[in-house]
Amino acid sequence: MKRLLQYTAWNWSMGRGPVTLLLVLGAAAECLLLFVAAASANQSALLYGDLVETAGILWVIAAVYLLLPICAQAVQERAAHMTRTSYTLFTLPLSRWELLLGRALSGVIWMILGMAVQTLVLVLLCGPILALQDSVSAGYFLFEVTEPGRLWWSLAECSVLRMMPPNSIPGVIFTAGMILIPSWMMPSAFTHTGWKRVTAFVIALVEQVSLFMLAYPALAGRTTWEQIGQSLQTSRGMGTFLFVLTGVAVAQILWGLWASYRSEAAA
Amino acid sequence: MKWNKLARPYRACLGTLAAGVALLLCGQACLYMAYPRQAVTLQLKTGNDKELEGFTLEGSWGQTASAAMEFTLSDGVLNQHPNLQSKQEDALSLMDQSLLCVPDEELASMDQQAEGGYVSGMYGAFFLHTSYEGMKYTAQARRLNQMYTLNTLDGSNRSVRFGLGQVQLPQAVTVTAELYKNGRARASYPYLMNAAELENADLGIREVTILDAEDPVGLYVSPGNGENGGIYLVREFCTAEEVAKVVPDVTVQGVAVPSENQPYGTVEAVCPLDAGESLIPCDNWGDARIEDGHWILTRQETGKINLLLLDKEWKPVGKCPLNISMNEYQSVTVLPSLRTDEIAFTVVDQSTTGQIVVLRINQNTIEAQSIMDFLATSAPIAAGYSADGTRLMTVTESRQSLMATLPAEVSGYYNGGAELPSDLSVLSSAVTGWDIQVYNTQDLQRPTLSACLDFGVSQRWRQELWLSGIYGGERRISLYRVTAAWEQAGEATA
């Protein structure tokens, strides 16, 4: 167990560079989009949660969500072709499934850190964005906003922030699935070579996109995780969709595990 | 690489993970703990605050399903706390359809006189469009079965159908049958017409009103065609597979189509009304609750108004005549009651005045009754007695006029480029608080206390003012609502 966790930490540390760069670029893009949106008169009357959606933040979140598992594994994958790293991996006292598990766990850690960074960005920007909106809209509204706790209301009604982390059981289950599935599928894709790797990547990306589109209405505040869970229970189509998603993920992971035992790749 | 070098990033990884999780948990903790303690304030205008003893007013302030501030004014003490849990809606999403169908035994005679024509069409977009083609036949009929179908829209594809009797029309009406080559694009059906096309009440067409969309679904069927009205409960919906087994096929122009005259599912009559008695339509049926049951208002042919008390299965447990007059041009709105043993509703007509009726019920009889007049512009949103029944509280919304300027370019941005000729001044009446007045039940003309719950001007009103200018018409949004006593009791039980 300890060796597995140590390998997880090593894999995590190898992805620090690309993932940090990805998260910084994502945060910078969100800052820019939010300030541009808040500076426009067209959006000066919107609530903070509506402004987050209108500014296109959800597309930045989608891009970071798709690229983060790849960035987390890219460095080790590239280094696996080098002598020292290959030697380390070949001589580690861990079985192949433990190596895959370790890489998946490091992906999970990076996903959680990504959520923390997203939360920090939205909380830190709230005050300045509200102030910018007030200055832009000052000439248009002949009344002052006097509701107490305006900052609290803005954060409480921001659907993206409220989902990180979710505060309901259906939300926890969905969020866990959205984190675990790509964290497992991307390292599994890296175990292949050639056209099999391309196929595995495409499957993993399609799965991630499907998961994100399932979560999009909740991120945009148009529905809640409870309502999505209810529709999954009552709607045959939605239930089938989720069953297919789960089946594809399990199949792709098992395929990667099988490939790693066939030693198709160094790691 | 030596094995012990693997241990170096271990602490960094754990530390960073701990910091991330702590940040996430702190964020949530701040939402639950750092809420504004003075989000709602109580201001006493006239009278002694001891007049508020014996009253419990609970309300909710929120704009989204998962963020609300709940406040309680109990015995003059105001408490508030955030509610950040999403509310589960137990009500089913329903779609109903009332059709007049030619009886199955008369389809052959319809076929003989029918005139047919080719019909085709397409729906959907881009490569996902679906086309259909078939034949449409029209004929004339005078004897029709009224069939009511209720469908759930939650994706489970369940429905229930029952008959409302047969009508013999004085003049023949046009009925239509449509036949399609495959049933996937568009379903075929035999000769029928929509009951809404015949709006004349003298024809005996019975109307169905959904009283309660929570399971079991409660329906009111109006009297007509020689039958009395009554309340029915849907006990069992049928899935599409069960419907296909129960509903036989009939032949239209030589083509087999499912019959529209076959009922399915289970509907139970729980509260039949007397002959000539009909339900008085009310707004906000969801709040028509007493204890753990329901109540309705009915009008007899003589004009007499009755209050029917029903249990949670909508079965009658009491009937109380009301000494109030009400005509069919007045609208009745059910108000959320402050106590589980009270009923409150308003009656408003076309003029500028209205009446609020507050009743306290004890052992299925009216223990106390109060009727107050009010101006239609300041209709109460809640009312109720104190615990000892000696005082009456009314709650009305207090509004503030808000003004704003809508720039022409902003209007053009939201209207797809259609800019206004110039900037527009917009005005709206925003709810910024609740006025509370307490009266002695012996003198309902002069309040003994006047107070106000102040919410302040919400940022949401900026958006609403501009939207009213962009799309025209004053927008009425509900940011604040009274939590009815039955909801509080339901949450306490849960």
Side-chain angles (χ1 to χ4, degrees):
Chain A
M1 184 69 176
K2 186 178 175 183
R3 287 175 185 156
L4 172 64
L5 293 177
Q6 284 176 335
Y7 170 69
T8 302
W10 181 53
N11 183 268
W12 172 86
S13 72
M14 292 195 82
R16 275 181 305 186
V19 176
T20 303
L21 182 64
L22 177 69
L23 293 179
V24 167
L25 285 176
E30 289 186 6
C31 284
L32 182 67
L33 288 172
L34 273 176
F35 274 100
V36 167
S40 163
N42 296 327
Q43 277 89 33
S44 57
L46 293 180
L47 297 172
Y48 186 60
D50 297 333
L51 190 72
V52 165
E53 191 204 342
T54 308
I57 301 299
L58 294 182
W59 296 114
V60 176
I61 293 175
V64 171
Y65 176 65
L66 292 178
L67 293 175
L68 197 146
I70 299 174
C71 292
Q73 300 302 324
V75 171
Q76 178 166 346
E77 175 57 27
R78 188 165 179 274
H81 298 291
M82 300 179 188
T83 309
R84 288 179 69 183
T85 308
S86 301
Y87 177 77
T88 304
L89 288 166
F90 278 127
T91 55
L92 275 175
L94 291 171
S95 57
R96 294 299 173 96
W97 72 268
E98 285 174 314
L99 288 175
L100 194 61
L101 176 61
R103 295 175 79 168
L105 285 176
S106 85
V108 169
I109 294 172
W110 277 119
M111 286 282 199
I112 293 173
L113 291 176
M115 282 173 55
V117 169
Q118 177 67 73
T119 301
L120 196 62
V121 167
L122 287 176
V123 169
L124 291 178
L125 287 180
C126 187
I129 293 294
L130 291 181
L132 180 56
Q133 278 187 302
D134 284 348
S135 68
V136 169
S137 62
Y140 300 126
F141 299 99
L142 303 181
F143 60 92
E144 282 191 20
V145 174
T146 58
E147 64 178 352
R150 190 176 159 202
L151 192 67
W152 182 87
W153 277 112
S154 297
L155 294 175
E157 289 164 351
C158 179
S159 51
V160 173
L161 190 69
R162 292 296 309 281
M163 290 175 57
M164 300 184 183
N167 63 349
S168 61
I169 294 177
V172 167
I173 294 172
F174 278 113
T175 306
M178 288 185 68
I179 290 175
L180 285 171
I181 289 178
S183 300
W184 271 99
M185 290 183 80
M186 274 304 168
S188 300
F190 274 114
T191 59
H192 301 285
T193 55
W195 66 267
K196 291 180 186 173
R197 176 179 281 195
V198 174
T199 307
F201 265 122
V202 168
I203 293 172
L205 283 173
V206 168
E207 181 93 5
Q208 271 186 272
V209 169
S210 303
L211 285 172
F212 190 81
M213 295 313 294
L214 191 68
Y216 183 86
L219 280 170
R222 295 188 194 119
T223 185
T224 61
W225 281 126
E226 287 80 1
Q227 288 168 339
I228 293 179
Q230 218 168 9
S231 69
L232 285 171
Q233 288 175 28
T234 54
S235 168
R236 194 175 293 178
M238 286 287 279
T240 306
F241 175 64
L242 191 66
F243 181 76
V244 168
L245 278 184
T246 309
V248 166
V250 170
Q252 202 256 19
I253 293 167
L254 290 176
W255 185 29
L257 204 59
W258 178 69
S260 67
Y261 273 98
R262 281 194 66 198
S263 299
E264 285 183 7
Chain B
M1 181 180 291
K2 293 181 181 176
W3 176 251
N4 57 3
K5 287 189 180 177
L6 277 180
R8 287 180 195 165
Y10 193 62
R11 293 190 199 99
C13 176
L14 275 184
T16 313
L17 177 63
V21 171
L23 188 69
L24 289 171
L25 294 177
C26 272
Q28 287 295 317
C30 282
L31 281 179
Y32 279 92
M33 294 190 303
Y35 65 91
R37 298 302 198 272
Q38 299 293 321
V40 184
T41 53
L42 176 68
Q43 297 170 6
L44 203 62
K45 293 180 183 173
T46 61
N48 194 326
D49 58 357
K50 286 193 186 313
E51 296 288 328
L52 290 172
E53 287 179 10
F55 290 106
T56 299
L57 170 65
E58 193 163 317
S60 172
W61 173 9
Q63 307 167 40
T64 64
S66 55
M69 185 73 69
E70 293 185 346
F71 53 92
T72 306
L73 179 64
S74 180
D75 295 329
V77 177
L78 182 63
N79 290 305
Q80 50 205 290
H81 64 275
N83 183 357
L84 300 175
Q85 297 294 329
S86 303
K87 287 192 179 170
Q88 281 281 74
E89 289 292 336
D90 295 326
L92 292 171
S93 188
L94 301 167
M95 182 183 72
D96 62 350
Q97 193 178 37
S98 185
L99 299 174
L100 295 169
C101 310
V102 171
D104 291 344
E105 59 271 17
E106 294 185 14
L107 291 176
S109 64
M110 292 291 118
D111 285 342
Q112 288 172 2
Q113 53 144 312
E115 295 178 1
Y118 177 76
V119 62
S120 67
M122 191 168 67
Y123 56 89
F126 304 112
F127 59 89
L128 295 174
H129 67 263
T130 304
S131 60
Y132 58 88
E133 58 177 357
M135 291 294 291
K136 183 175 178 177
Y137 296 92
T138 56
Q140 299 290 308
R142 289 181 61 189
R143 192 161 69 99
L144 298 165
N145 291 333
Q146 187 177 3
M147 305 299 293
Y148 180 82
T149 309
L150 195 62
N151 296 283
T152 60
L153 298 177
D154 56 1
S156 59
N157 202 15
R158 295 175 299 150
S159 59
V160 63
R161 179 191 289 165
F162 54 94
L164 295 172
Q166 198 172 76
V167 291
Q168 183 74 28
L169 301 173
Q171 290 181 346
V173 293
T174 302
V175 291
T176 307
E178 292 186 1
L179 305 173
Y180 295 97
K181 287 186 179 176
N182 62 60
R184 284 177 299 174
R186 210 165 166 90
S188 303
Y189 54 87
Y191 298 96
L192 52 81
M193 67 176 295
N194 198 319
E197 294 177 28
L198 295 180
E199 294 180 347
N200 191 338
D202 293 341
L203 297 174
I205 307 296
R206 303 176 75 184
E207 292 182 357
V208 181
T209 306
I210 299 173
L211 296 178
D212 186 8
E214 287 186 22
D215 199 23
V217 175
L219 304 171
Y220 165 73
V221 181
S222 67
N225 206 21
E227 300 282 336
N228 294 343
I231 296 178
Y232 296 76
L233 282 189
V234 176
R235 290 295 185 194
E236 189 185 348
F237 284 92
C238 285
T239 61
E241 290 80 16
E242 290 166 346
V243 171
K245 288 179 190 169
V246 169
V247 174
D249 282 347
V250 293
T251 306
V252 175
Q253 301 290 339
V255 177
V257 298
S259 168
E260 292 286 334
N261 291 298
Q262 175 67 41
Y264 53 79
T266 309
V267 176
E268 179 188 352
V270 292
C271 179
L273 299 182
D274 296 335
E277 192 175 19
S278 61
L279 182 79
I280 295 177
C282 297
D283 295 330
N284 194 22
W285 274 118
D287 274 329
R289 303 281 193 110
I290 183 77
E291 298 293 348
D292 58 349
H294 306 266
W295 60 267
I296 59 172
L297 296 173
T298 62
R299 178 188 287 114
Q300 291 181 318
E301 278 182 324
T302 55
K304 191 173 165 189
I305 309 296
N306 290 318
L307 170 71
L308 250 66
L309 298 170
L310 311 163
D311 64 12
K312 59 183 176 183
E313 287 283 305
W314 293 86
K315 292 180 179 161
V317 295
K319 190 169 186 175
C320 311
L322 291 181
N323 191 21
I324 57 175
S325 61
M326 214 183 288
N327 61 55
E328 58 188 23
Y329 302 107
Q330 290 175 311
S331 61
V332 180
T333 302
V334 177
L335 301 184
S337 56
L338 303 185
R339 292 170 57 93
T340 54
D341 58 354
E342 289 184 1
I343 288 171
F345 59 89
T346 59
V347 182
V348 180
D349 57 20
Q350 307 279 346
S351 68
T352 57
T353 61
Q355 284 188 322
I356 178 170
V357 179
V358 182
L359 308 167
R360 175 168 285 185
I361 306 297
N362 186 14
Q363 293 183 344
N364 298 322
T365 56
I366 297 176
E367 184 181 80
Q369 175 177 305
S370 296
I371 302 175
M372 278 179 63
D373 293 330
F374 60 84
L375 293 175
T377 51
S378 60
I381 58 172
Y385 289 106
S386 58
D388 57 8
T390 59
R391 286 160 289 135
L392 182 75
M393 173 190 276
T394 62
V395 182
T396 54
E397 291 176 331
S398 69
R399 293 177 173 270
Q400 181 179 335
S401 289
L402 304 177
M403 285 186 63
T405 302
L406 173 65
E409 57 269 19
V410 173
S411 173
Y413 175 81
Y414 287 100
N415 269 329
E419 273 192 26
L420 295 169
S422 61
D423 294 352
L424 180 69
S425 290
V426 285
L427 180 71
S428 190
S429 176
V431 176
T432 56
W434 287 350
D435 285 330
I436 296 171
Q437 294 185 320
V438 176
Y439 302 82
N440 191 308
T441 51
Q442 305 302 318
D443 180 10
L444 296 178
Q445 300 301 321
R446 286 175 301 177
T448 56
L449 174 133
S450 183
C452 175
L453 284 174
D454 187 36
F455 307 121
V457 177
S458 170
Q459 185 185 346
R460 176 75 181 269
W461 283 106
R462 287 183 180 171
Q463 190 175 333
E464 294 303 320
L465 271 170
W466 274 10
L467 288 175
S468 66
I470 292 167
Y471 299 115
E474 189 176 2
R475 292 168 63 85
R476 295 233 155 208
I477 59 170
S478 299
L479 293 180
Y480 321 102
R481 57 178 289 272
V482 175
T483 306
W486 66 266
E487 286 181 272
Q488 303 164 32
E491 285 169 5
T493 307

